[in-house]
Amino acid sequence: MQNKGLIKVFAILFGLVCIYQLSFTFIANNVENEAEDFARQKISENVENYSALRDVEQQKYLDSVANEEIIAGITYSNAKDKELNKGLDLKGGINVILQISVKDILAGLANNTNDPAFNQAIAEADEASKDSQDDYIDLFFEAFNNIPDAKLASPDVFANKTLSDEINFEMSNADVETVIRRKVDESITSAFEVLRKRIDKFGVTQPNIQRLGNSGRILVELPGAKDINRVKGLLQSTAQLEFWHVYKSNELGNFLAQANNVLRDVVSKESKETEAEADTTATDSDIDELLAESEDSTEVSTGNNPLFELIQGPGFQGGPVLAYFSEKDTARVNEYLAMPQVRSLLPASQRYAKFAWGIPQDEEGVVGLYALKGNRNMEPPLSGDVITDAQQTYDQMGRVAVSMQMDGRGAKIWEEMTGLASTQQSNIAIVLDNTVYSAPGVSTGPIAGGRSEISGDFTITEGQDLANVLRAGKLPASADIIQSEIVGPSLGQEAIDSGIWSFAIALVFVLLWMVFYYGKAGLFADVALAVNILFIFGILAGLGAVLTLPGIAGIVLTIGISVDANVLIFERIREELAKGKVQKDAIKDGFNNALSSILDANITTGLTGFILLILGTGPIKGFATTLLIGIATSLFTAIFITRLFIDGYGKNGKSLDFATGATKNLFRNVKVNWLGKRKMAYTISGILIVISVGSLLVQGLNQGVDFVGGRTYTIRFDKDVNPTDVEQDLIAEFGSAEAKTFGPNNQLKITTKYKVDEESTAVDNEIQQSMFEALQSYLPQDLTYDEFTAGGAGKDIGIMQSMKVGPTIADDIKNDSFWAILGSLVVIFLYILLRFRKWQFSIGAVAAVAHDVIIVLGIFSLLYKVMPFSMEINQAFIAAILTVIGYSLNDTVVVFDRIREFVNEHTSWPLGRTVNSALDSTISRTLNTSLTTLIVLLAIFIFGGESIRGFMFALIIGVIVGTYSSLFIATPVMFDSVTDKSKIEKKKKVEEDSEATTV
């Protein structure tokens, strides 16, 4: 091997980089564990609602140490930003797909017209969208254009005052379509910006929000989010843009001083009461703990100035900001200012003052406090529904600004507001979702015409974002949750534990097996495998990828199939040694001869991984990511790292047998008439396919909510329950329900299609409330509804996980899954055709893959009613099918590579002899790899958690069937598809010879 030094340097440097990337995860986890211990010691389990209180204390602790240096300049804050991200199934949280209503946007652009043609097109688009995969706007334009003499540029449709600058009466429908599409896209972008800003403020680490194509759908993932109802409200409420008059800082200076004095007494009294309670229950050991806590406490509050000590800086004299506070203290300040004894300090003229916060001023999160001039109804003088347009511009000083235009009503009110502000030399606050974005002063008199400008310390991007947010006020569009998945944090921790167990067991087995089978060479392969695992996790951390439970399964599966490259290499080396070559030459030729098979096998598996990555969502994308990374790293470690160790060991003449005493002669002189058994194999496979197709036609598949729509809940009880009894009670409530044991006997997976077409949060809450009432006899009497929906709030009872898929998106998922499988078959056919230059190889490979897919589907159809675990056909199952395709191809391509090699080496041999000999020579590798992978999958199946058990079962069946098909389907079909007459004659002759000479 050339350039060994360079490879060593690269491997060492890359390993160090991976360790560096993973160190952030290690540091962040250590700090979080310390925070958990701190919260556990401070809040006893005997305290009511202890779980939520512990969360608060844990967050306080993390906030207090966020910027403290831990090692080499690394703080918890930047370690958290760079740690290996965990998905919802490992961390808990919420994953939703929101559908921004394009229908509402179109109606807003048309000023909610009553035009018959417009409303007819809307009604037809509504109906067509139920079964169509096209975007709503395409369906609307198609329906509108089919109406005779209907014009989009009609004054009753889009040629209205609002759009008069862009649409005139002379424009064609096609011209108007271009404008409307752009306007709809701008509105969706506005909604996206509003959501992004809300999510950023929500405080969830590593959130993910992205637009899904041009469909108006937005994906939101919030790992670690626990207050699910708050999240739903945050995501679905429309943006509230408001304009308020603002009090000057000097107008409320006395109020803040008086409030601080009152709070001093309140806080002092509360502290004394707390101390008195502690004294009545304290023991000697408690006193010691309290003394220790007081020494380590990060709180500096003395109670002397409860409000003033929180101030980070004063507001400017006469300016709109009363004072600046740290963002983490805003909740406490809100609590202080809402106290009745504090509010009563406001004079009569200011009794309706409304306090609001600005946007963070710097990286430290300092925000300004404003006092808005409210009224009895707490309604703003002007709201955002008057904004017709907003653009990022520049002011007279060349600074970034935002220009906005109002309608006639808004222009009149704006003129009055600016006139008053100019007279009083005061400010007007622009408030979005109760956050003050800007509070400009007015010094030029009343502003007429409804056009104004917001200037401030904006970057260009911030100005564009603010303009997008302001435009959202003009076109409010409802956001419906059409798909959601909610995972409780305790279920996520259980998934981590089960994933680690499956990972450890599979890894130990593979390491021991390689040493047992290949001796010292297997030990070198184990070292390379350990390096491979380091590379996989390091790359995942460096890329900011999200690790999910299927992702862990992908890593474990990678461990299983990554030994395949080493097995191929070692088997070829053993063959070369058997030919009498010296060890050095045998190693060199073994690596060279195995390279082609290794590359072909991994490329075909990688192709299915790419299809998963492109078409998959959420956990499936995580599985594909880890699989692809694993393929790349396993290639490098097997070809280069293992070679370094083997060459280094043998350079001083040390002998390396690549076998042990128990395995030295295994599969050494195998001679089997594989092709002679193909008729029997065809018969067996034919029977299995007929049974599978029959079951699919008669019994069908257990399609999950991914494919048919509906709601599913994983609910845990405090005792074992009978799923049949629970199901009957739920059917009585909903009319349609299914309950199956999911893991332990005290946990059920409940699915219902009740009100499947209604996707509002109100319906979600209604179903959960009805379910809670229907399950009362199975739940503890003291369990409240809030605890039930929150997974027991520390009791691990109630809804642990939930998922909702609307019927429209279910059709999309089913459609994408079909194209994913079909696309993988086409890509594989073309790759093998290009690689082997014979269509017969492609036919054999595709026939074997189709055979495997049909049988796996058939087994799921036959057994889903009797198996004790979920066998739903969902997105995870499609990932399993594509993985089966990749694995089956991996095996098949290795055989085909050997056939091609033998054809070139033994030109005088008949084709039948060549094929049989090729299969004989690869049987050791085939069984070795299949057995290793199968044991790994069994480890995940048994220890890897209930949520991926069906996924693993599909893979186990796929590996068994795939190994069989590579020997008895792919190769025989390829053989039988050769139509050259001379080859046929040679085939017949070799079959006769083979039947007489082999088993």
Side-chain angles (χ1 to χ4, degrees):
M1 183 175 63
Q2 303 295 320
N3 299 319
K4 290 183 182 179
L6 182 63
I7 292 171
K8 285 182 182 178
V9 171
F10 174 79
I12 292 171
L13 291 178
F14 194 71
L16 292 174
V17 169
C18 291
I19 292 172
Y20 173 74
Q21 290 290 348
L22 291 172
S23 68
F24 294 109
T25 304
F26 178 77
I27 291 170
N29 287 343
N30 271 353
V31 175
E32 287 169 1
N33 289 336
E34 291 171 2
E36 287 181 11
D37 292 339
F38 173 80
R40 196 177 294 112
Q41 292 173 9
K42 193 165 185 179
I43 307 295
S44 168
E45 289 188 6
N46 299 325
V47 177
E48 185 179 353
N49 199 25
Y50 73 89
S51 181
L53 293 175
R54 281 181 176 178
D55 288 339
V56 173
E57 291 300 328
Q58 183 177 341
Q59 191 56 52
K60 283 182 179 178
Y61 180 91
L62 293 175
D63 288 341
S64 69
V65 301
N67 296 314
E68 292 181 5
E69 181 179 346
I70 298 172
I71 184 173
I74 300 174
T75 65
Y76 168 74
S77 182
N78 54 40
K80 189 67 179 173
D81 290 337
K82 297 178 181 179
E83 73 169 345
L84 179 60
N85 301 335
K86 293 188 285 287
L88 301 183
D89 50 2
L90 297 179
K91 193 174 183 179
I94 181 170
N95 173 321
V96 303
I97 293 180
L98 293 163
Q99 176 68 66
I100 305 300
S101 176
V102 177
K103 174 183 176 180
D104 287 355
I105 296 174
L106 290 171
L109 289 170
N111 284 340
N112 297 308
T113 180
N114 291 320
D115 181 75
F118 178 88
N119 291 324
Q120 179 184 336
I122 287 288
E124 292 180 7
D126 284 343
E127 189 64 29
S129 64
K130 295 179 181 178
D131 303 312
S132 175
Q133 306 301 318
D134 295 334
D135 291 343
Y136 187 93
I137 192 169
D138 294 328
L139 298 173
F140 168 77
F141 286 136
E142 181 181 351
F144 194 93
N145 289 329
N146 288 333
I147 300 173
D149 302 323
K151 287 200 65 178
L152 292 171
S154 164
D156 293 328
V157 187
F158 294 124
N160 49 50
K161 287 184 178 180
T162 304
L163 300 174
S164 58
D165 292 341
E166 299 182 70
I167 297 176
N168 58 63
F169 304 146
E170 305 300 323
M171 295 173 69
S172 65
N173 281 1
D175 294 333
V176 176
E177 281 184 23
T178 302
V179 177
I180 298 303
R181 286 181 188 277
R182 177 168 54 81
K183 286 290 183 181
V184 168
D185 184 70
E186 288 177 356
S187 298
I188 295 172
T189 300
S190 299
F192 178 86
E193 290 301 326
V194 170
L195 288 170
R196 184 176 62 80
K197 290 183 179 296
R198 289 177 177 180
I199 289 167
D200 288 343
K201 287 178 57 181
F202 190 70
V204 174
T205 57
Q206 300 159 344
N208 176 33
I209 175 170
Q210 55 182 288
R211 287 185 61 177
L212 302 178
N214 297 314
S215 61
R217 291 174 183 168
I218 297 175
L219 169 68
V220 178
E221 293 178 320
L222 302 177
K226 296 178 181 179
D227 191 344
I228 302 303
N229 290 329
R230 180 186 169 199
V231 171
K232 286 184 175 181
L234 178 83
L235 296 178
Q236 291 190 283
S237 63
T238 56
Q240 298 296 322
L241 178 65
E242 301 166 340
F243 300 87
W244 296 79
H245 288 291
V246 189
Y247 288 107
K248 298 178 182 179
S249 60
N250 55 294
E251 292 180 273
L252 274 85
N254 290 334
F255 162 74
L256 292 180
Q258 293 171 4
N260 184 69
N261 293 333
V262 170
L263 288 168
R264 181 185 301 141
D265 297 333
V266 172
V267 172
S268 176
K269 182 179 178 182
E270 290 178 350
S271 299
K272 289 179 181 178
E273 290 176 353
T274 303
E275 290 174 4
E277 290 177 5
D279 288 341
T280 61
T281 59
T283 64
D284 291 340
S285 60
D286 290 332
I287 294 171
D288 291 338
E289 290 178 7
L290 287 171
L291 289 172
E293 276 190 20
S294 66
E295 292 174 359
D296 297 335
S297 175
T298 57
E299 295 181 8
V300 295
S301 176
T302 62
N304 294 331
N305 292 290
L307 184 61
F308 283 176
E309 70 183 13
L310 298 177
I311 293 177
Q312 301 293 310
F316 293 106
Q317 183 71 20
V321 177
L322 304 182
Y324 291 94
F325 296 83
S326 175
E327 193 172 10
K328 64 182 177 64
D329 293 328
T330 54
R332 197 188 310 180
V333 176
N334 287 339
E335 181 183 346
Y336 287 163
L337 296 177
M339 289 180 176
Q341 55 267 53
V342 173
R343 293 286 307 184
S344 65
L345 298 173
L346 289 166
S349 61
Q350 298 173 350
R351 66 181 183 276
Y352 296 122
K354 177 181 178 181
F355 296 100
W357 296 99
I359 56 178
Q361 297 294 311
D362 52 34
E363 294 181 359
E364 296 180 0
V366 175
V367 295
L369 177 65
Y370 296 81
L372 311 180
K373 294 184 178 181
N375 51 39
R376 184 182 299 275
N377 298 321
M378 283 298 174
E379 294 177 350
L382 187 61
S383 60
D385 58 357
V386 301
I387 300 295
T388 59
D389 194 18
Q391 301 290 336
Q392 181 265 310
T393 57
Y394 297 91
D395 62 14
Q396 295 179 349
M397 304 293 292
R399 297 175 303 179
V400 175
V402 176
S403 173
M404 57 186 179
Q405 179 63 49
M406 304 177 186
D407 60 19
R409 180 178 66 87
K412 183 178 180 181
I413 298 174
W414 184 244
E415 186 173 359
E416 294 172 356
M417 289 184 69
T418 52
L420 181 61
S422 177
T423 301
Q424 298 179 346
Q425 292 295 296
S426 60
N427 302 68
I428 297 176
I430 300 169
V431 183
L432 178 71
D433 289 340
N434 296 317
T435 298
V436 179
Y437 270 72
S438 178
V442 181
S443 58
T444 57
I447 301 175
R451 180 170 291 278
S452 187
E453 185 177 76
I454 308 170
S455 60
D457 188 16
F458 301 129
T459 64
I460 293 177
T461 302
E462 289 171 341
Q464 292 171 342
D465 290 347
L466 181 55
N468 284 332
V469 169
L470 291 174
R471 283 200 299 271
K474 168 64 177 77
L475 296 172
S478 61
D480 293 323
I481 296 178
I482 58 175
Q483 179 180 350
S484 68
E485 182 178 6
I486 300 167
V487 181
S490 59
L491 201 62
Q493 185 59 49
E494 291 170 11
I496 291 175
D497 296 339
S498 62
I500 291 173
W501 267 107
S502 66
F503 181 87
I505 292 170
L507 180 60
V508 168
F509 172 80
V510 171
L511 296 176
L512 292 177
W513 177 261
M514 292 299 288
V515 174
F516 165 76
Y517 202 91
Y518 294 109
K520 289 180 181 178
L523 190 60
F524 296 146
D526 287 348
V527 175
L529 182 58
V531 173
N532 184 27
I533 294 169
L534 172 65
F535 284 177
I536 291 173
F537 281 103
I539 292 171
L540 285 172
L543 293 177
V546 177
L547 185 65
T548 62
L549 198 56
I552 290 178
I555 293 173
V556 179
L557 182 60
T558 298
I559 293 172
I561 63 176
S562 67
V563 300
D564 182 47
N566 281 315
V567 170
L568 279 169
I569 292 168
F570 292 169
E571 290 298 323
R572 294 307 295 257
I573 293 174
R574 288 172 66 170
E575 289 180 19
E576 301 303 324
L577 289 172
K579 293 176 183 178
K581 292 184 179 181
V582 298
Q583 182 173 292
K584 182 178 180 181
D585 292 339
I587 291 172
K588 178 181 178 181
D589 292 343
F591 270 92
N592 292 338
N593 293 335
L595 185 60
S596 175
S597 296
I598 292 172
L599 291 176
D600 285 334
N602 282 278
I603 287 172
T604 49
T605 306
L607 288 173
T608 58
F610 272 115
I611 292 170
L612 275 176
L613 188 66
I614 294 169
L615 297 179
T617 57
I620 305 310
K621 196 178 288 288
F623 174 80
T625 301
T626 54
L627 185 62
L628 290 171
I629 292 172
I631 288 172
T633 56
S634 64
L635 277 173
F636 175 78
T637 53
I639 295 172
F640 297 110
I641 303 299
T642 307
R643 180 73 179 274
L644 285 174
F645 282 107
I646 290 175
D647 286 349
Y649 181 83
K651 70 180 180 179
N652 295 322
K654 294 181 181 178
S655 176
L656 198 60
D657 293 334
F658 294 91
T660 61
T663 61
K664 188 171 185 178
N665 295 313
L666 277 179
F667 308 109
R668 176 60 61 89
N669 297 307
V670 175
K671 287 190 178 295
V672 178
N673 183 13
W674 302 97
L675 294 177
K677 303 179 187 304
R678 70 185 187 281
K679 293 179 182 178
M680 183 187 299
Y682 287 164
T683 302
I684 295 172
S685 292
I687 293 171
L688 291 175
I689 288 173
V690 169
I691 294 174
S692 297
V693 172
S695 180
L696 289 168
L697 293 174
V698 175
Q699 187 161 281
L701 293 161
N702 181 26
Q703 297 186 60
V705 294
D706 285 16
F707 288 169
V708 296
R711 294 171 174 85
T712 182
Y713 304 87
T714 300
I715 299 180
R716 184 173 294 172
F717 302 84
D718 63 333
K719 57 189 176 182
D720 292 352
V721 291
N722 187 322
T724 304
D725 295 341
V726 173
E727 184 173 297
Q728 291 175 352
D729 291 342
L730 292 172
I731 289 175
E733 181 71 29
F734 297 120
S736 165
E738 177 186 74
K740 290 191 68 174
T741 300
F742 193 70
N745 292 329
N746 69 329
Q747 187 167 278
L748 298 181
K749 189 170 189 178
I750 296 171
T751 304
T752 178
K753 296 179 182 176
Y754 178 69
K755 293 190 176 182
V756 65
D757 293 320
E758 300 182 38
E759 298 166 343
S760 67
T761 302
V763 173
D764 293 342
N765 295 335
E766 175 196 337
I767 292 173
Q768 290 186 5
Q769 181 68 51
S770 299
M771 186 176 297
F772 176 66
E773 293 170 0
L775 298 175
Q776 280 296 300
S777 60
Y778 307 96
L779 297 168
Q781 292 184 352
D782 61 344
L783 188 72
T784 65
Y785 171 72
D786 289 338
E787 290 175 336
F788 173 76
T789 56
K795 298 179 182 178
D796 287 346
I797 302 170
I799 298 176
M800 310 302 292
Q801 181 175 6
S802 66
M803 184 175 183
K804 178 180 78 172
V805 180
T808 301
I809 200 166
D811 288 340
D812 293 348
I813 292 171
K814 189 184 297 184
N815 187 60
D816 288 345
S817 300
F818 170 78
W819 285 111
I821 294 175
L822 182 62
S824 64
L825 291 175
V826 172
V827 168
I828 288 157
F829 180 91
L830 293 175
Y831 175 78
I832 294 180
L833 180 63
L834 291 172
R835 190 70 181 87
F836 293 93
R837 306 296 177 89
K838 298 287 184 181
W839 62 267
Q840 289 89 346
F841 286 104
S842 294
I843 289 294
V846 172
V849 166
H851 165 275
D852 298 345
V853 170
I854 291 172
I855 290 178
V856 172
L857 287 171
I859 290 174
F860 265 64
S861 175
L862 285 166
L863 300 180
Y864 77 83
K865 291 184 178 179
V866 297
M867 282 296 187
F869 53 86
S870 175
M871 294 182 69
E872 287 185 350
I873 306 301
N874 50 26
Q875 291 184 81
F877 177 81
I878 298 303
I881 289 293
L882 287 169
T883 306
V884 166
I885 290 174
Y887 183 85
S888 177
L889 280 169
N890 188 304
D891 221 8
T892 300
V893 166
V894 170
V895 174
F896 283 177
D897 260 313
R898 187 58 66 92
I899 291 173
R900 180 177 58 181
E901 180 184 334
F902 275 31
V903 166
N904 293 330
E905 286 183 4
H906 308 288
T907 56
S908 62
W909 284 10
L911 182 60
R913 181 181 176 186
T914 305
V915 171
N916 276 335
S917 297
L919 289 171
D920 288 340
S921 66
T922 58
I923 189 63
S924 176
R925 173 264 166 201
T926 298
L927 295 181
N928 205 341
T929 301
S930 298
L931 178 63
T932 305
T933 305
L934 195 59
I935 297 298
V936 168
L937 293 176
L938 284 170
I940 311 173
F941 177 76
I942 296 169
F943 302 102
E946 190 66 32
S947 60
I948 60 170
R949 195 150 284 156
F951 175 75
M952 285 296 109
F953 183 74
L955 289 179
I956 289 169
I957 299 300
V959 167
I960 295 171
V961 177
T963 303
Y964 162 83
S965 67
S966 65
L967 297 172
F968 294 106
I969 301 298
T971 306
V973 167
M974 178 278 297
F975 178 76
D976 286 332
S977 63
V978 176
T979 57
D980 183 83
K981 188 173 181 180
S982 62
K983 290 289 186 184
I984 291 175
E985 291 174 353
K986 290 179 180 179
K987 282 194 294 183
K988 290 180 179 178
K989 184 177 185 303
V990 77
E991 287 172 24
E992 294 170 358
D993 294 341
S994 296
E995 288 173 2
T997 59
T998 63
V999 294

